[in-house]
Amino acid sequence: MIYTVTFNPAIDYIAGTTDFKKNEINRAISEKVLAGGKGINVSIVLKNLGIESIALGFIAGFTGNEIKRRIEEIGIKTDFVYIPDKFSRINVKLQSKIDDKVVEETAINGEGPKILDKDVDEIMNKLEKIQKDDFIVLAGSVSRNMKDDIYEKICSKVKEKGTKIVADATGKLLVNILKHKPFLIKPNKKELEEIFQKEIRTNEEVVEYARRLQEMGAENVLISMDKDGAILITKDKKMLYGEAPKGKVVNSVGSGDSMVAGFITGYINHQDYDRALKLGIAAGSASAFSKGLATKEEIMIQLSNIEEGEKK
């Protein structure tokens, strides 16, 4: 089984206008409401690819109930910790559009509920069910009122069970869990630069610093580089590079989460790093080229484009 963890999920409300003006009433020409959060995104794309998962995390109030309802409505199992105080975040995105193309975007992200020690204890108890060779995906940041050692606590608890840890996080959250030898980490190029405080200009430098993360404990290191594809340093020290298919980027939100879901699916189905890398790139690209998270059909089209490109 795959477990995804989203510590601060949200309802994303996205409204589009033709010409957004400050200090005036603006009329929406488009509206969208989504259940948001990096771990939730991973679960959704896994579901689209035919892989079951269980979504964990913290939800609160009426928005938390709506997040849970929306996820379960599409067939994803959940096991959230419910917090009666306040409510889960509402993130508002205001988009100014010309000919249906977003030219400007302003976002207001909500704060979310206060997470107490007893709430953390409850989610730790839920991890008792995780078995050997299960996957746990730790994605995104933690709430501002949470202690930043929560990733380490989870990794310490599940690693002794033989669980495969997948982490898509930034800065200290990521670096501090490397000692637990996660199965996969997926920083992007910018996050790699932030970790090492170094401007990275070439693929050779990407490989150099990815190998450093591997030396620090990660088994497999996947570096996403947007239109430049992705580089994977495998557990057996091989370097694999995958080109990204060409296409028009419509929405970059969720593309990294989609890459994680595609990689896990490829690995589970084929036990092959090359296939996992290609499916990861295909899933990330498919989501970037669509208005929402990619469907299986969209992902398979991009996978085919990648394979056709390799033949040329």
Side-chain angles (χ1 to χ4, degrees):
M1 179 56 73
I2 300 171
Y3 297 83
T4 65
V5 182
T6 306
F7 291 109
N8 203 8
I11 289 291
D12 289 337
Y13 173 70
I14 305 166
T17 67
T18 51
D19 185 18
F20 178 76
K21 292 182 176 64
K22 292 189 293 185
N23 303 318
E24 294 187 20
I25 294 175
N26 293 271
R27 304 292 181 185
I29 59 171
S30 65
E31 294 177 290
K32 186 183 292 186
V33 178
L34 303 170
K38 290 179 70 63
I40 289 171
N41 292 342
V42 173
S43 278
I44 291 171
V45 178
L46 284 170
K47 178 66 177 178
N48 291 348
L49 288 168
I51 301 292
E52 284 194 0
S53 68
I54 297 175
L56 305 174
F58 302 104
I59 58 172
F62 73 102
T63 46
N65 287 330
E66 179 63 9
I67 290 169
K68 183 175 185 290
R69 185 193 71 80
R70 284 176 173 266
I71 297 170
E72 292 180 346
E73 188 176 60
I74 59 177
I76 296 171
K77 297 176 182 177
T78 67
D79 193 12
F80 290 114
V81 173
Y82 185 81
I83 299 168
D85 176 59
K86 208 177 175 184
F87 53 88
S88 292
R89 295 185 299 161
I90 301 174
N91 295 338
V92 179
K93 292 180 173 59
L94 304 175
Q95 299 177 336
S96 184
K97 296 183 175 182
I98 297 177
D99 296 329
D100 204 35
K101 180 180 180 181
V102 177
V103 293
E104 290 182 342
E105 181 175 270
T106 300
I108 303 173
N109 286 354
E111 183 179 25
K114 185 174 182 179
I115 310 299
L116 303 177
D117 288 343
K118 67 180 181 64
D119 303 317
V120 174
D121 291 341
E122 188 173 347
I123 204 166
M124 295 298 286
N125 289 335
K126 289 180 182 293
L127 298 178
E128 292 290 346
K129 70 186 73 172
I130 292 182
Q131 304 294 317
K132 185 173 187 262
D133 294 328
D134 283 346
F135 285 78
I136 185 167
V137 180
L138 304 173
S141 60
V142 300
S143 303
R144 281 182 291 177
N145 55 63
M146 288 181 68
K147 296 176 182 177
D148 61 7
D149 64 349
I150 182 64
Y151 271 28
E152 293 176 78
K153 286 183 177 179
I154 289 176
C155 289
S156 178
K157 186 177 188 67
V158 303
K159 189 63 181 180
E160 63 188 29
K161 295 172 175 282
T163 305
K164 290 181 170 61
I165 299 166
V166 176
D168 183 7
T170 60
K172 289 183 178 179
L173 277 176
L174 182 64
V175 172
N176 289 346
I177 69 167
L178 294 179
K179 58 180 175 285
H180 297 289
K181 302 188 184 306
F183 169 76
L184 176 73
I185 61 172
K186 194 215 70 66
N188 59 36
K189 184 180 175 183
K190 181 181 178 182
E191 290 163 349
L192 193 65
E193 291 177 330
E194 291 172 351
I195 289 171
F196 290 102
Q197 295 293 293
K198 169 78 176 179
E199 184 180 0
I200 298 174
R201 296 193 178 97
T202 66
N203 284 358
E204 288 75 18
E205 289 178 319
V206 171
V207 171
E208 175 187 349
Y209 287 101
R211 290 194 186 279
R212 288 198 192 182
L213 290 177
Q214 191 175 57
E215 290 168 1
M216 293 164 69
E219 292 184 7
N220 300 286
V221 181
L222 176 60
I223 309 296
S224 56
M225 303 184 298
D226 298 325
K227 63 181 177 60
D228 295 321
I231 287 174
L232 174 68
I233 307 299
T234 69
K235 184 178 180 180
D236 53 4
K237 312 298 184 185
K238 291 181 180 178
M239 190 282 287
L240 301 176
Y241 170 72
E243 290 189 9
K246 290 181 171 56
K248 179 182 177 181
V249 175
V250 177
N251 173 33
S252 62
V253 176
S255 60
D257 311 322
S258 301
M259 177 177 281
V260 169
F263 185 95
I264 293 172
T265 301
Y267 183 81
I268 288 174
N269 288 343
H270 303 282
Q271 298 293 303
D272 179 81
Y273 286 124
D274 184 62
R275 187 69 178 177
L277 175 61
K278 289 175 184 175
L279 191 56
I281 294 173
S285 299
S287 285
F289 300 159
S290 65
K291 291 184 178 180
L293 295 173
T295 64
K296 183 175 182 178
E297 181 182 7
E298 290 170 332
I299 293 170
M300 291 302 107
I301 289 172
Q302 297 308 323
L303 180 61
S304 177
N305 290 340
I306 291 170
E307 292 171 338
E308 286 297 321
E310 289 181 338
K311 294 176 182 177
K312 294 179 180 178

